[in-house]
Amino acid sequence: MNAFTLNRRAVMLTAVAGASSALVGGGAALAQAAPTPLSGNAGHYRFRVGEISATVLSDGVIGGPPRVYASDAPEAELQEVLRRAFLPTDRMTLNLNTLLIETGGRRILIEAGAGATMGPNGGRIFQNLAAIGLGPTDIDAIVVSHTHPDHVGNLRAADGGKAFPRATVFAPKADWDFFVLSDPDLSYMPVPEDFRSRFAAAIKSSVKPAMSDVELYEAGAEIAPGLTSIVASGHTPGMATFLVHSGNDHLLLTADLAYHPVVNVDNPWLPGPDRDMGAALASRRRIFDRAAADRIPVLAFHFPFPGLGRMLKTDGGYAWVPANWQF
Ligand SMILES: [Zn+2]
């Protein structure tokens, strides 16, 4: 067996592992696995919103079949759109763009990231925090838009304790009631039953260290000076989006209103995991319209890193315009 054969075998094994688990947002079927080695490229991106210093910190990537994220797309059209965007037609990669802001003397992380809950390529946030000279004890608060595993996965350390020992966790009350305090019916999710049960279990185990002292908020509330939540329910019962603001400067975080700009902005297809597709669509339009009308810079959690850009209103819908890289 020569080196080529070995490499090809390794590639095929990887492909099989990917195919067997390529489900909603979900790499290796909610498995625990160590992150694969990094390429060495930056996983953090600094900028400012007025007086607030902000840093996108990548937690890595997850992914699944494009169909999951574009549930109503005609198959041939979906394939053609992906090909024209130079994207794979069998798997869509989603980024995990958490945002660290420093405001009111506190370091606040918006979204915790997936950790190991949705495949082996999450859990990078700790390396990326270290790269900017910070550790988990430097985080004062973590605010999540909703409680899906890719947003709360890093709350739990490997030993079951708090991964961010000093951080107060803020979560939307309606999501906490639905996913954490009850046994949710997830039959609306376009994935196999065993995936749904692992998904539900991953939420409960991820948030367990925060059970005793979580701060539950109602979407619309001011969470900290310069950080306001915005009602955006539909994807989940309580999902919020956020506005970071300082003086005349704003940044709109769109959470999971869209998974990927090619299928949910440039094309208006509906994400399969939206629990109430009509409400999610109304939230998406209301918030995208605001972003476009006011020309507000946007951070989209799952878009290609660092996920910053603007929303443009077009004749038929919207277009995503990525921001230029700032050195
Ligand atoms: Zn998500």
Side-chain angles (χ1 to χ4, degrees):
M1 191 179 275
N2 60 28
F4 171 75
T5 322
L6 278 171
N7 283 341
R8 203 170 68 122
R9 184 172 142 76
V11 167
M12 287 170 67
L13 287 171
T14 307
V16 168
S20 65
S21 59
L23 297 168
V24 59
L30 304 161
Q32 296 281 332
T36 46
L38 294 168
S39 64
N41 288 331
H44 61 91
Y45 186 82
R46 293 181 202 262
F47 59 106
R48 297 191 73 84
V49 182
E51 297 295 307
I52 297 174
S53 72
T55 310
V56 178
L57 294 169
S58 174
D59 191 44
V61 295
I62 57 173
R67 162 67 51 209
V68 169
Y69 312 113
S71 63
D72 57 337
E75 184 59 28
E77 207 178 319
L78 176 59
Q79 297 280 314
E80 179 62 12
V81 158
L82 293 170
R83 269 195 299 272
R84 289 173 69 101
F86 301 95
L87 291 171
T89 54
D90 59 343
R91 186 167 173 83
M92 181 151 257
T93 294
L94 307 184
N95 278 255
L96 302 164
N97 302 318
T98 75
L99 182 72
L100 177 67
I101 57 172
E102 297 186 37
T103 174
R106 290 197 297 168
R107 290 196 186 92
I108 301 175
L109 184 64
I110 304 171
E111 313 288 22
T117 62
M118 296 187 83
N121 297 316
R124 307 294 176 77
I125 196 174
F126 301 102
Q127 299 158 52
N128 288 322
L129 259 180
I132 60 167
L134 297 176
T137 54
D138 294 313
I139 304 302
D140 299 297
I142 300 176
V143 183
V144 301
S145 64
H146 64 296
T147 60
H148 277 172
D150 52 318
H151 298 253
V152 298
N154 281 317
L155 293 178
R156 179 194 176 100
D159 66 2
K162 293 182 176 183
F164 297 88
R166 293 180 46 252
T168 305
V169 174
F170 290 79
K173 183 174 187 307
D175 261 36
W176 202 263
D177 291 345
F178 182 76
F179 288 107
V180 179
L181 300 182
S182 59
D183 250 328
D185 175 5
L186 301 183
S187 57
Y188 64 90
M189 295 182 74
V191 294
E193 179 54 39
D194 65 324
F195 185 94
R196 284 183 209 133
S197 48
R198 285 195 302 276
F199 188 90
I203 293 172
K204 287 191 164 77
S205 76
S206 297
V207 304
K208 200 167 179 195
M211 286 300 283
S212 59
D213 53 2
V214 67
E215 292 270 352
L216 299 177
Y217 68 87
E218 301 281 352
E222 179 91 11
I223 293 182
L227 176 61
T228 306
S229 64
I230 300 168
V231 175
S233 54
H235 180 62
T236 63
M239 192 176 86
T241 56
F242 303 103
L243 191 70
V244 175
H245 52 95
S246 170
N248 292 325
D249 290 328
H250 296 81
L251 175 73
L252 184 67
L253 283 74
T254 53
D256 284 17
L257 287 177
Y259 278 114
H260 195 286
V262 168
V263 298
N264 305 129
V265 180
D266 300 341
N267 290 276
W269 294 321
L270 304 177
D274 286 355
R275 177 163 178 265
D276 180 335
M277 287 197 175
L281 178 62
S283 292
R284 189 175 306 120
R285 285 181 173 155
R286 171 170 46 84
I287 291 166
F288 284 9
D289 281 348
R290 177 175 175 186
D294 297 345
R295 303 177 70 84
I296 308 174
V298 167
L299 172 63
F301 183 67
H302 286 302
F303 288 13
F305 177 82
L308 292 162
R310 280 186 172 81
M311 213 55 81
L312 191 69
K313 189 101 168 137
T314 62
D315 288 346
Y318 306 94
W320 173 248
V321 184
N324 287 319
W325 187 275
Q326 302 287 319
F327 288 99

